[in-house]
Amino acid sequence: MNKMIHTQELELSSDYCPKCKGKKSMIINILGKNRKVPVLCKCEKEEYERQKNLEENKEKLYKLQRLREHSLMDESFKSCTFENWKHDKENGKMYKIGVAYCNRWQEMKKKNMGFTFWGPPGTGKSYLSFCIANRLLKSYVPVIAISTIGIINRIYDSYKRYGESGEVAIIHSLKNANLLILDDLGAEYTSKLGKEKQIIYSILDARYRDKKPVIVTTNLNLKQLKEKLRGNDAVDRTYDRLLELAPPVEIKGTSKRIAVGKEKTQMIKNMIH
Ligand SMILES: Nc1ncnc2c1ncn2[C@@H]1O[C@H](COP(=O)(O)OP(=O)(O)OP(=O)(O)O)[C@@H](O)[C@H]1O
Ligand SMILES: [Mg+2]
Ligand SMILES: [Zn+2]
């Protein structure tokens, strides 16, 4: 009886939220003593959830931003997305392969599965590869997507600053990417020393040993690519590695650059009229 009175005494009207009329405190019995403890009313709970979501979104955004920064991706490729994909008679299969790859990413990663997209210039090989990169980045998969010349230049720059250890550091940093996209393989220059070939081998070999996939694009055919990658000792170890990591997928079709050019011409026409 005594306890009841005590409880009632503690429950003041100020313990109720004027907005949602929910309780803002409750009485609980701690070690035989009734104590008033604060609780969240409905609007406070909602506010708490809102703040929590805000924080989480901020964190997610921050994480995405950092992943994008680390992706080394050129600004111009950030708009390559499956959402922006322009469907035509030739690129249905490419779209399907790309979307399926992303949907089955966990399995692809486990099987260390990549692609060598090869075919004539302008057929959308880079576009497809960067769509994959952007879709995976969006779901927080660390991806590095860079032109082969771009990565070689980075390594040469780091030689100047750090000597040989620069190459090691850059190749090591590629490890952090669960997927590496090497755009335009075979377009890199080749010095007399064949240093670029050795760099490409080191990159592919590291992917191989780390069991991490790589996607490559090239506008060389497979025979040309094999020749281009052949070591100074005439051994095809880089090409062999590549084929195991990234099985070839032929991309056929006409150059989309003509269509892109036509669109721009139309734009200019519209501007004058
Ligand atoms: N599915 C697509 N949706 C929208 N634009 C596309 C698509 N595919 C290609 N393009 C556009 O067409 C042009 C050529 O595509 P892309 O650069 O991907 O070709 P590529 O096969 O990589 O050529 P290369 O072998 O010369 O590197 C680019 O401007 C690209 O943005
Ligand atoms: Mg390309
Ligand atoms: Zn309330």
Side-chain angles (χ1 to χ4, degrees):
M1 192 63 191
N2 209 358
K3 250 182 202 168
M4 279 283 288
I5 292 163
H6 195 59
T7 306
Q8 276 163 4
E9 268 174 10
L10 282 166
E11 275 196 14
L12 305 169
S13 60
S14 64
D15 289 337
Y16 288 87
C17 169
K19 253 200 275 170
C20 73
K21 312 275 184 264
K23 269 190 189 179
K24 287 176 76 106
S25 67
M26 65 184 281
I27 310 298
I28 56 165
N29 192 289
I30 303 170
L31 301 169
K33 250 194 172 177
N34 282 335
R35 289 178 196 277
K36 189 164 76 165
V37 292
V39 289
L40 297 178
C41 70
K42 198 175 154 222
C43 27
E44 279 171 337
K45 253 185 223 159
E46 279 167 4
E47 179 57 20
Y48 172 77
E49 284 299 320
R50 208 179 65 83
Q51 287 296 338
K52 206 174 91 185
N53 279 339
L54 227 69
E55 282 304 311
E56 277 173 9
N57 283 345
K58 239 195 256 165
E59 234 165 74
K60 277 184 186 168
L61 237 106
Y62 180 70
K63 207 175 157 190
L64 267 184
Q65 223 176 334
R66 296 214 9 162
L67 275 175
R68 291 224 170 93
E69 275 164 23
H70 289 150
S71 77
L72 308 179
M73 193 186 298
D74 267 355
E75 203 55 41
S76 59
F77 289 116
K78 291 188 175 158
S79 61
C80 297
T81 60
F82 289 118
E83 287 75 22
N84 293 339
W85 186 281
K86 284 195 189 127
H87 296 267
D88 63 29
K89 276 177 257 157
E90 298 170 331
N91 65 18
K93 193 180 111 191
M94 294 164 76
Y95 181 83
K96 268 192 183 164
I97 289 179
V99 171
Y101 186 82
C102 295
N103 287 345
R104 293 165 63 179
W105 166 245
Q106 288 307 329
E107 183 193 345
M108 297 294 117
K109 189 178 152 215
K110 216 183 261 167
K111 292 188 174 152
N112 192 9
M113 169 78 182
F115 301 114
T116 296
F117 293 127
W118 68 277
T123 45
K125 302 178 296 292
S126 298
Y127 195 91
L128 168 63
S129 306
F130 285 99
C131 282
I132 294 173
N134 284 317
R135 168 83 42 110
L136 291 178
L137 276 170
K138 224 171 113 188
S139 44
Y140 309 105
V141 177
V143 178
I144 288 180
I146 188 169
S147 70
T148 311
I149 292 176
I151 195 76
I152 284 172
N153 281 339
R154 269 174 186 260
I155 289 175
Y156 280 156
D157 279 348
S158 75
Y159 277 152
K160 284 182 216 147
R161 263 180 284 167
Y162 311 106
E164 291 284 322
S165 65
E167 177 180 348
V168 178
I170 288 189
I171 292 180
H172 187 83
S173 75
L174 297 179
K175 263 185 196 228
N176 297 326
N178 284 353
L179 174 65
L180 171 66
I181 292 177
L182 274 186
D183 193 29
D184 235 349
L185 182 66
E188 67 284 354
Y189 33 74
T190 318
S191 65
K192 279 198 188 101
L193 290 168
K195 184 73 192 148
E196 296 81 12
K197 288 184 182 180
Q198 182 256 309
I199 290 172
I200 291 164
Y201 176 75
S202 300
I203 293 172
L204 292 177
D205 187 56
R207 299 307 287 178
Y208 185 81
R209 277 184 284 116
D210 295 342
K211 295 195 167 51
K212 283 185 169 170
V214 53
I215 290 179
V216 158
T217 80
T218 180
N219 54 37
L220 301 178
N221 66 38
L222 294 180
K223 189 167 166 266
Q224 290 167 328
L225 185 64
K226 189 174 181 175
E227 275 162 21
K228 178 89 191 192
L229 297 177
R230 183 167 296 150
N232 292 340
D233 54 4
V235 179
D236 292 318
R237 64 176 77 78
T238 306
Y239 182 75
D240 289 352
R241 274 272 187 281
L242 178 67
L243 249 50
E244 189 178 337
L245 280 165
V249 176
E250 185 177 6
I251 304 297
K252 291 178 188 157
T254 48
S255 174
K256 316 287 177 227
R257 295 213 173 93
I258 298 161
V260 173
K262 270 187 190 156
E263 242 171 62
K264 285 190 178 159
T265 311
Q266 192 56 48
M267 249 172 75
I268 298 168
K269 277 185 189 156
N270 293 344
M271 279 154 93
I272 325 173
H273 282 104

